[in-house]
Amino acid sequence: MKTAQTLTTAAALLCALPASVVALSKVETRNLDIAEDDASRGLMHLTVAFKDECLHKHKDVCIAAINAKLAEHPELFEGREAFEFEVNKVREATDEGYNIVAMRLNADETTVGGLLGDGMIWYPYDWCLAADDCYTVGPWDCDVGIPLLPEQCCKMIQDSVPHEDMNGNYLECYTEFPVGSPSNPINPGRVCIHTDADGIVVHIPKNE
């Protein structure tokens, strides 16, 4: 089986595309309005969650609403005049790379932290050995008292799903850098927008 891969050049990864809609929804409920970033990161700006402007709306409507909010309240955004928008379609079961498990690292980029910071790693699809033989895989706990290294976490994941699927693929892993880490620093001028195939926003965008 393949070892954990680190994909560092894809803009989608810097926007932290979710590995699990269910897991990410838990994260989003923690900050639906305007909240100060975690002081432990030493951040000096406000993160604004654009729920009302964007969630379940078309990306063009979302972008227009964010720009309108920026124009009306520039003081919320350090007086900037524009945002950099990064729009990415969320991965679907029919997309290339469907068999890849995203392992969100901790802020120091050395161990696995998971979407919620609890070491839990999620895979959003069933694993199908045949069209009529599918089952749920994961989640996996990659914090066993101490957070696992990416290689250790990936091996555990792959060992738990040893069979290739009906397309001849095995589970693979990549490491994903959290916002605020050295490889994905906070960028208050960046807004990442995740859409479905029809361009509808499926997660709450934030300027981070």
Side-chain angles (χ1 to χ4, degrees):
M1 294 184 183
K2 297 183 179 180
T3 58
Q5 301 174 20
T6 301
L7 307 182
T8 59
T9 59
L13 296 187
L14 294 183
C15 267
L17 287 182
S20 167
V21 172
V22 173
L24 192 65
S25 68
K26 297 176 184 176
V27 177
E28 289 173 341
T29 58
R30 296 180 179 182
N31 183 11
L32 301 184
D33 301 303
I34 299 175
E36 290 190 13
D37 276 318
D38 187 344
S40 66
R41 291 183 178 179
L43 306 180
M44 300 303 294
H45 74 280
L46 292 178
T47 292
V48 178
F50 301 103
K51 181 188 179 185
D52 294 339
E53 294 83 358
C54 295
L55 191 61
H56 306 316
K57 299 177 181 179
H58 193 272
K59 62 180 178 63
D60 294 341
V61 174
C62 168
I63 290 173
I66 292 175
N67 282 333
K69 188 165 190 172
L70 173 62
E72 185 176 358
H73 298 290
E75 69 279 3
L76 292 178
F77 309 104
E78 303 172 325
R80 69 182 65 254
E81 297 180 353
F83 282 122
E84 173 189 351
F85 294 99
E86 295 184 7
V87 181
N88 293 283
K89 184 182 80 67
V90 296
R91 184 174 51 150
E92 299 180 71
T94 55
D95 290 342
E96 183 179 357
Y98 71 89
N99 59 313
I100 294 176
V101 180
M103 300 185 303
R104 178 76 60 85
L105 299 184
N106 285 311
D108 63 5
E109 301 185 0
T110 59
T111 56
V112 177
L115 284 173
L116 303 176
D118 57 1
M120 299 301 295
I121 301 300
W122 303 77
Y123 180 74
Y125 317 118
D126 286 341
W127 192 249
C128 294
L129 304 181
D132 59 352
D133 185 11
C134 299
Y135 61 97
T136 300
V137 297
W140 300 271
D141 188 355
C142 287
D143 188 337
V144 290
I146 59 172
L148 295 180
L149 297 172
E151 295 80 6
Q152 296 170 322
C153 180
C154 185
K155 184 178 187 304
M156 180 179 68
I157 291 170
Q158 292 178 323
D159 286 349
S160 73
V161 188
H163 303 294
E164 63 183 24
D165 71 358
M166 63 182 184
N167 299 316
N169 293 319
Y170 291 94
L171 279 183
E172 300 180 25
C173 310
Y174 71 73
T175 52
E176 182 178 84
F177 303 115
V179 173
S181 63
S183 295
N184 189 16
I186 286 286
N187 179 358
R190 173 183 65 187
V191 178
C192 295
I193 300 174
H194 302 151
T195 74
D196 63 15
D198 296 320
I200 302 301
V201 179
V202 295
H203 303 128
I204 302 170
K206 300 174 185 176
N207 64 315
E208 55 184 13

